[in-house]
Amino acid sequence: MKKFFLIFLLGILFYSCTDKLPTVPATVVSEKVPHDTDDPAIWVHPTDASKSIVFGTDKDTDGAIYAFNLQGKIIPDKVLKNIRYPNNIDIEYGFKMFDSTVVDIMVFTERERNQIRLFSVPDMRPLDGGGFPVFEDETNINYRRPMGVGIYKNPINQKISVIVSRKTGPKDNYLYQYELISDAEGVRSEFIRKFGKFSGVKEIEAIAIDDELGHVYCSDEGVGIRKYAADPSKGNEELAFFGNENFSEDMEGIAIAAKPNGDGWIIVSDQQKGQFNIFSRKDHHFIKAVNLGTTETDGCDLVIGFFDKKFPKGLFVAMNNQKDFYFYDLGLLGFN
């Protein structure tokens, strides 16, 4: 009898730990890529949001950056191939070139070449002369492998910089920041600081930057979410550490939904549980979890606003480990 009761209790415990919330089905599932999807980034068309593009990395030595329309179909002439293990990707708007033209830009990490890449979008024109090396002062080659990337546009001076994380590294100064500068010789990246703690447990991949509030968030996998000032002049002190009690194992991709007056949400992938945890943008308290049906999600991105009839509240995109990306109307996450 005691043995039966013990088995019964263990069964209840297992069910409670593995039971998932009801699945919210995706609005659109993208076409599949050849290797291994990782991280998406949304570019919003300036005059017709229905023509916006979702970019996503396909992680492999023979990797690529894929481009999808809002129907999830690959746009062949926007695909960048022959990328050596692209990892994370980000989009920013309004980068001023030396000739006074203004372009939107895409940055992604190319891990096997120890560099980041810079392209203008949507014309997919390289601006980096083949790539910008990162972590150059590291003598340990393993500490030079870039993973995560986020772009920060300072709302006051309009300067644009890139924050990069890596596959592994020291427990201090895990993140490096580089300013993007356009001059008569082209575009270059200039190192401006190193900062950020690392637990040493797994890795820091996901990075998301809140331009308006000037904050950078990164997922120290298996440990918690770290927050810093994105503007180097504000210092390198860790401003917050949260979320560690809300995840089954790894916290991964981060997306920020910015609302007026500092309101909004921070959405973070609970990777092994296959859910997303949602926190307050203002004070980081846990709000709720949602199950969007993806598995082993590395990266996610979102934009608030009307895109088309399928995405009237905004677009949320999450990587799925079946070599594709899931697209959702933001209203499906319970936000209006």
Side-chain angles (χ1 to χ4, degrees), residues 1-32:
M1 185 66 181
K2 289 181 179 179
K3 182 177 180 181
F4 173 81
F5 184 67
L6 178 60
I7 293 173
F8 177 73
L9 286 178
L10 289 173
I12 292 175
L13 179 61
F14 176 80
Y15 179 80
S16 64
C17 290
T18 58
D19 188 32
K20 295 174 69 173
L21 297 166
T23 302
V24 177
T27 308
V28 169
V29 176
S30 79
E31 292 183 324
K32 294 185 183 298

Side-chain angles (χ1 to χ4, degrees), residues 32-51:
K32 294 185 183 298
V33 302
H35 303 297
D36 182 16
T37 50
D38 190 273
D39 191 39
I42 302 165
W43 174 76
V44 181
H45 191 282
T47 60
D48 185 351
S50 69
K51 296 179 181 178

Side-chain angles (χ1 to χ4, degrees), residues 97-108:
M97 303 290 287
F98 180 72
D99 62 3
S100 297
T101 59
V102 177
V103 298
D104 298 337
I105 57 172
M106 172 177 68
V107 172
F108 58 88

Side-chain angles (χ1 to χ4, degrees), residues 53 55 65-67 74-81 122-125:
I53 301 172
F55 293 98
I65 305 299
Y66 278 84
I74 293 171
I75 309 172
D77 64 341
K78 304 296 183 187
V79 175
L80 302 175
K81 294 189 175 181
D123 61 350
M124 314 310 292
R125 180 168 59 98

